[in-house]
Amino acid sequence: MPCGNRRASACPSCSRTYARDTFELLRAGAVGGKTVPASVADNPMLFVTLTAPSFGHVHRTAKPGQPVTRCRPRDRAQVCQHGRPVGCMATHEQGDSVAGQPICHECYDYEGHVVWQWWAPELWRRFGIRLTRLIARHLGVPATKPRPCKRYPYPRLWLGDLASIQYAKVGEYQTRGLIHFHGLVRLDGPKTPDGFAAAPDALPATVLASLIEDAAADVHYTAPPALTGSPERVLRFGKQLDVKVVRAAHRPDDDTSPLASEHVERVAGYLAKYATKAVSDTTGEGRTNAHYVRIRETCRRLAADADRRAAAHREAGDHAYEDPYALIGKWAHMLGFRGHFSTKSRRYSVTLGRLRRARRRWQAITAEAARTGQPVDTADLEQRLMADDEEETTLVIGSWSYVGTGWDSTGDAALADAAAARAREYDQWRAKRKHNQNY
Ligand SMILES: [Zn+2]
Ligand SMILES: [Zn+2]
Ligand SMILES: [Zn+2]
């Protein structure tokens, strides 16, 4: 069995498979295929990047394709309260290890950094809710299905009758150790028996883009204090927000469509790469990065404080108390990010599980073909591979467990050594004989 590790630093082979599956999932959601109806390609699609706010100035390297500029030009005489210059006149090439490191690590707000990262999944969740509400308001309908009441006894139109938002998102660590969210957002019409209806004309891609910007700017979460005595923090996404229209719409009469689908594929490729790169930089080579070490230490400090609070509550007889930061130490290796690196809404695309099942079925089919010598029957192969049935449940009889390494007794070991030596001698004798025969 493959290990299934998605991190490139842990298993190059499995991480390639994972990246490929993620790519197929993203692509199918954009242009159809793999059981996703091709009609999704008629709907507008946007590429959204939500960033983290700043927790202190960090060293910057040149962006690819841009001229190398000074890192952070400031008056050289200006120093922070720790006596360090507030600017950096150096120019850092790409790949410089100083990139993402704070200019003054004592000025850098590590607690804020970790608290934000810890609640980042909650910010994303709230962003989705906020966006749905803004879309409903724009279309002039309620966001949730209204119950018939005295005033309106009949079923009324609501958002689900007009549109839905489907997305796939991927988290990517920036060099400063904060997560970014990149998402492909698709606007669908209401669900129909064989796919999705066209997106409503009342909500063109450009309007959707501005609603996404509004939602990202509005959304906030008040995080409970992380260290006993520290204040509550109002968390938001960073001001750097990027919303691009990948595809306004892709109608048969739209001659920009081939370009749009190529563009979509490129974006899907980036996202798949981010999904595997995600942690390798922070746990692989990033293990000794001074900034990441401090972030991990902060996670553990917060966890220790949470433990103390929980103990105090238990002493006071409150056994139901659960500290919101109790588990942050377990996520220190992920720099405090506990979310999933790639997630999707239910109807965006096919699932990774289904792609994996298709691959297993393909292995079984080719193994069977090799055994019987019969060519693989390619008729409706894709349907058979992607079928959503559970006919091939594997019956597990017994299980494997680790007993030990080596031999039970020294006698067994001696026998094995002797057998190996004889096998070697036999091989050498045979090789020599073959050599003599040839010459
Ligand atoms: Zn593996
Ligand atoms: Zn610098
Ligand atoms: Zn300082």
Side-chain angles (χ1 to χ4, degrees), residues 3-4 11 14:
C3 70
C11 179
C14 288

Side-chain angles (χ1 to χ4, degrees), residues 39 42-44 162 187-190 192 196-201 251:
S39 59
D42 293 338
N43 290 331
L162 298 175
L187 177 72
D188 288 338
T192 62
F196 307 99
D201 287 333
R251 304 264 147 77

Side-chain angles (χ1 to χ4, degrees), residues 79-86 103-108:
V79 292
C80 73
Q81 52 169 317
H82 309 102
R84 294 189 182 93
V86 296
I103 291 191
C104 171
H105 67 84
E106 285 175 283
C107 286
Y108 194 87

Side-chain angles (χ1 to χ4, degrees), residues 74-396:
R74 292 290 181 280
D75 182 359
R76 280 173 204 269
Q78 230 181 313
V79 292
C80 73
Q81 52 169 317
H82 309 102
R84 294 189 182 93
V86 296
C88 171
M89 301 301 276
T91 53
H92 308 300
E93 296 287 335
Q94 247 190 293
D96 190 329
S97 62
V98 80
Q101 300 275 339
I103 291 191
C104 171
H105 67 84
E106 285 175 283
C107 286
Y108 194 87
D109 178 11
Y110 280 98
E111 186 191 334
H113 177 130
V114 167
V115 168
W116 188 90
Q117 193 110 292
W118 185 242
W119 296 108
E122 174 63 15
L123 272 182
W124 174 270
R125 193 183 70 85
R126 287 173 177 234
F127 165 71
I129 295 170
R130 183 79 195 134
L131 179 61
T132 310
R133 288 193 186 141
L134 290 181
I135 290 171
R137 193 198 288 167
H138 178 84
L139 295 172
V141 290
T144 51
K145 197 171 189 166
R147 287 215 209 124
C149 58
K150 238 182 222 157
R151 209 163 138 216
Y152 299 103
Y154 306 108
R156 273 181 297 157
L157 207 60
W158 68 288
L159 184 60
D161 298 325
L162 298 175
S164 83
I165 285 287
Q166 302 298 329
Y167 71 86
K169 85 163 195 312
V170 160
E172 182 209 9
Y173 281 106
Q174 297 174 277
T175 46
R176 58 178 172 145
L178 279 160
I179 205 102
H180 256 176
F181 290 126
H182 301 281
L184 272 174
V185 177
R186 190 179 76 213
L187 177 72
D188 288 338
K191 199 175 185 315
T192 62
D194 48 18
F196 307 99
D201 287 333
L203 191 61
T206 44
V207 174
L208 179 61
S210 69
L211 292 181
I212 288 175
E213 282 168 11
D214 293 348
D218 287 354
V219 69
H220 62 272
Y221 173 67
T222 307
L227 289 171
T228 311
S230 58
E232 285 180 341
R233 286 166 185 267
V234 180
L235 310 177
R236 292 178 180 282
F237 283 116
K239 287 203 175 62
Q240 266 182 321
L241 165 75
D242 193 29
V243 185
K244 283 198 183 74
V245 177
V246 178
R247 177 175 65 209
H250 174 145
R251 304 264 147 77
D253 54 349
D254 176 6
D255 52 4
T256 61
S257 44
L259 210 137
S261 72
E262 198 182 286
H263 188 39
V264 164
E265 296 221 346
R266 210 169 39 229
V267 171
Y270 291 149
L271 290 186
K273 211 173 72 198
Y274 294 151
T276 45
K277 150 187 175 195
V279 268
S280 64
D281 294 356
T282 61
T283 58
E285 311 90 77
R287 217 183 287 274
T288 53
N289 177 314
H291 182 49
Y292 297 166
V293 168
R294 277 184 228 110
I295 295 171
R296 286 193 282 266
E297 273 167 11
T298 310
C299 289
R300 291 190 199 103
R301 199 151 55 87
L302 261 51
D305 219 45
D307 280 350
R308 276 195 289 277
R309 277 195 298 268
H313 274 87
R314 274 197 303 277
E315 248 165 58
D318 175 9
H319 292 280
Y321 177 79
E322 269 177 50
D323 197 276
Y325 297 95
L327 296 174
I328 198 167
K330 288 205 167 61
W331 295 93
H333 67 293
M334 303 298 260
L335 308 183
F337 180 65
R338 55 178 154 165
H340 292 286
F341 281 95
S342 86
T343 52
K344 64 171 196 66
S345 60
R346 203 160 46 87
R347 293 207 301 255
Y348 173 78
S349 183
V350 63
T351 60
L352 282 177
R354 207 151 162 191
L355 290 176
R356 289 188 189 121
R357 198 156 60 224
R359 194 166 36 244
R360 271 203 304 277
R361 283 178 188 161
W362 170 247
Q363 295 291 348
I365 288 173
T366 47
E368 182 67 10
R371 196 178 62 81
T372 59
Q374 295 285 314
V376 173
D377 177 12
T378 51
D380 54 88
L381 180 63
E382 173 147 334
Q383 264 120 301
R384 276 186 288 139
L385 291 175
M386 301 295 295
D388 198 16
D389 47 31
E390 291 295 329
E391 27 97 351
E392 35 97 60
T393 23
T394 313
L395 180 63
V396 179

